[in-house]
Amino acid sequence: MLFGECTITLQDVAYQLGLPVDGHYVSGCLSEFHIYIEGGRPAWVWFEELFGVVPPPSQVQKYAVNCSWFQETFGECPEGADEDTVRRYARAYIMMLLGTQLFADKSGNRVHIRWLPFVARLEEMGSYSWGSAALAWLYRCMCRVANRNVIKLAGPLQLLQSWIFWRFPRFRPAGFETFSWPLASRWSGYIPSSSEKGPRVQTWRLWIDRLQDREFIWMPYSSPDVLQVLHPEVLEPRHMVLWRSVTSLIYFAVIEWHQVDRVLPQFWQDFLGADTLDPDFGSPRFLAEISAIMQEDEPGRRRPQTPATQAPLDVDLNEPATTPVGDQFALGGTPHSAYTAASQSIAGPSVAPLHFTPPAQPTPHEDADEIEDEEPFIRRGQRPRVPRRCGTGSHLFR
């Protein structure tokens, strides 16, 4: 944007979707799936044990089941069902929720059985960092759609849409003034119109090009209306510390950076306190202070880097993973030095910015929607190869 950088952060995921952003990382194996099943059982044998039925071959595509089969088989739990039946229907609902909402591919009609190890133990579902995994997948999908040969966007699009409506009032539909939890449910009845698609897109592009600082809401979650419906657990320190952390987001083979050091104005109240916040977001003093914050890392951004070098890191990546007592940073455990590095880059004097230089990769095929694992990229003919972009826009500063 002309007035500074902004992006979707873990804070937005917590407020918009109500998902936990701390917990164990969401990962596992995608190829040769049966080898890693508990007890060495084939994947479909375990599927039958958990759901009591196996989908017919016509409803299966390798390790994915058609969503229509799930809907027809587990559409409505029968009355008076016993506990085992209820658990089967709960597993099916969670599988569909994960496969078609949070981690959807561009087909929109398949559910991968990679989720079997997670739904097998329903009591442990809340111990995973679903929020960070969903954000990692959204970052990756937005990177892919930035390539000119890609025309469809996958991922948790309800998060992206709700973030746009909350942050950009100009794009917000009228008639949705009632707040509820999670905040993305505010737009549950919104149905976009498909009429005049071409002129609308052109109009929105013109609006984006002409956006002013007054037309972006830096802190939409501090209003009394939001605080009235807010779940109190969201504001627990163990969650809030992750909102301000420069760390990695993990979703199977997808790893993206959570670079809040580049969007500090979105956390203005967290850094300077509510008493120092100017209520007039467009005032000259407010804009001057935002500009000063965003220019702190300017020398580091302009520092020339060669493809063979990276900016120095203050985090020892070889340090064993730890989980401090009382302050659990639970994205799978992280080196203790990461806490210091994150806090210094946010609250104190700016340190060297974190630059992630991905290797050059061939352009992925438009229909390659599966998570990369052993063969993450598809090589096609002699197409020109372009580097895969990072989901947070760090490629713009190299």
Side-chain angles (χ1 to χ4, degrees):
M1 298 298 173
L2 298 177
F3 49 85
E5 291 186 59
C6 54
T7 190
I8 306 172
T9 67
L10 288 175
Q11 181 192 35
D12 296 301
V13 177
Y15 277 96
Q16 298 291 342
L17 300 182
L19 293 174
V21 296
D22 66 332
H24 302 295
Y25 53 81
V26 179
S27 186
C29 181
L30 299 177
S31 61
E32 298 182 346
F33 190 83
H34 62 281
I35 300 177
Y36 301 92
I37 299 294
E38 291 183 356
R41 294 163 292 178
W44 295 108
V45 172
W46 200 16
F47 188 98
E48 185 176 12
E49 293 178 1
L50 294 177
F51 294 94
V53 63
V54 175
S58 61
Q59 299 293 325
V60 177
Q61 303 178 35
K62 199 174 181 179
Y63 288 117
V65 183
N66 290 342
C67 186
S68 58
W69 179 85
F70 269 101
Q71 293 174 337
E72 295 173 359
T73 308
F74 301 98
E76 184 176 354
C77 184
E79 296 183 6
D82 56 19
E83 182 178 353
D84 290 340
T85 302
V86 173
R87 294 176 71 88
R88 290 173 181 173
Y89 277 79
R91 292 189 182 105
Y93 175 80
I94 294 174
M95 290 270 286
M96 293 182 62
L97 180 65
L98 296 176
T100 63
Q101 298 297 319
L102 293 182
F103 307 104
D105 59 21
K106 284 181 284 189
S107 71
N109 60 1
R110 295 194 299 263
V111 178
H112 201 283
I113 63 173
R114 70 169 69 98
W115 306 114
L116 288 182
F118 299 90
V119 300
R121 296 176 291 273
L122 294 177
E123 294 78 8
E124 300 178 8
M125 289 292 295
S127 64
Y128 291 92
S129 179
W130 297 107
S132 65
L135 186 58
W137 182 229
L138 179 60
Y139 280 172
R140 179 59 57 89
C141 292
M142 294 177 67
C143 284
R144 288 177 174 176
V145 81
N147 296 325
R148 62 181 180 181
N149 64 314
V150 179
I151 59 176
K152 297 179 182 178
L153 177 61
L157 301 185
Q158 69 276 20
L159 170 61
L160 176 61
Q161 176 182 269
S162 184
W163 182 83
I164 294 173
F165 288 167
W166 277 88
R167 298 280 185 174
F168 297 89
R170 170 169 290 205
F171 304 115
R172 182 182 303 167
F176 295 87
E177 306 303 329
T178 302
F179 295 174
S180 58
W181 179 256
L183 298 184
S185 62
R186 177 181 180 182
W187 324 103
S188 58
Y190 172 67
I191 302 178
S193 173
S194 59
S195 61
E196 301 180 359
K197 180 178 179 181
R200 284 201 325 169
V201 173
Q202 296 175 1
T203 301
W204 286 2
R205 287 175 177 172
L206 181 61
W207 284 352
I208 293 175
D209 292 338
R210 296 182 176 181
L211 275 175
Q212 302 296 322
D213 51 88
R214 293 177 178 270
E215 297 175 297
F216 182 82
I217 301 180
W218 293 101
M219 292 182 301
Y221 310 129
S222 58
S223 67
D225 293 332
V226 173
L227 298 177
Q228 289 179 0
V229 301
L230 184 65
H231 196 289
E233 186 177 351
V234 174
L235 299 180
E236 291 185 3
R238 63 190 180 95
H239 299 303
M240 297 177 65
V241 68
L242 299 182
W243 302 349
R244 302 184 293 270
S245 297
V246 179
T247 184
S248 57
L249 308 171
I250 300 174
Y251 168 56
F252 287 89
V254 173
I255 302 178
E256 298 284 349
W257 282 110
H258 183 244
Q259 295 179 301
V260 295
D261 55 337
R262 294 182 174 175
V263 290
L264 294 184
Q266 291 183 214
F267 295 85
W268 183 271
Q269 189 170 8
D270 290 332
F271 299 120
L272 301 182
D275 294 338
T276 63
L277 179 62
D278 193 332
D280 184 5
F281 291 118
S283 67
R285 182 177 68 85
F286 177 75
L287 297 179
E289 291 173 343
I290 286 182
S291 300
I293 292 177
M294 298 179 65
Q295 291 174 0
E296 286 183 356
D297 287 336
E298 198 65 26
R301 292 178 179 177
R302 296 177 179 175
R303 186 183 300 116
Q305 294 188 20
T306 63
T309 62
Q310 283 186 319
L313 301 178
D314 290 338
V315 180
D316 185 2
L317 300 180
N318 296 318
E319 182 179 341
T322 59
T323 305
V325 178
D327 191 13
Q328 182 182 10
F329 190 110
L331 294 181
T334 199
H336 182 69
S337 57
Y339 293 94
T340 305
S343 61
Q344 290 178 350
S345 65
I346 299 298
S350 176
V351 298
L354 207 56
H355 290 276
F356 175 63
T357 307
Q361 302 292 353
T363 303
H365 188 269
E366 163 64 13
D367 296 326
D369 294 307
E370 297 298 333
I371 302 292
E372 299 96 332
D373 190 27
E374 292 184 353
E375 296 293 338
F377 304 108
I378 298 177
R379 305 177 184 273
R380 302 183 61 198
Q382 299 296 325
R383 287 187 176 183
R385 299 182 179 182
V386 297
R388 180 179 293 279
R389 295 183 174 90
C390 152
T392 55
S394 61
H395 61 281
L396 301 175
F397 301 95
R398 290 201 285 283

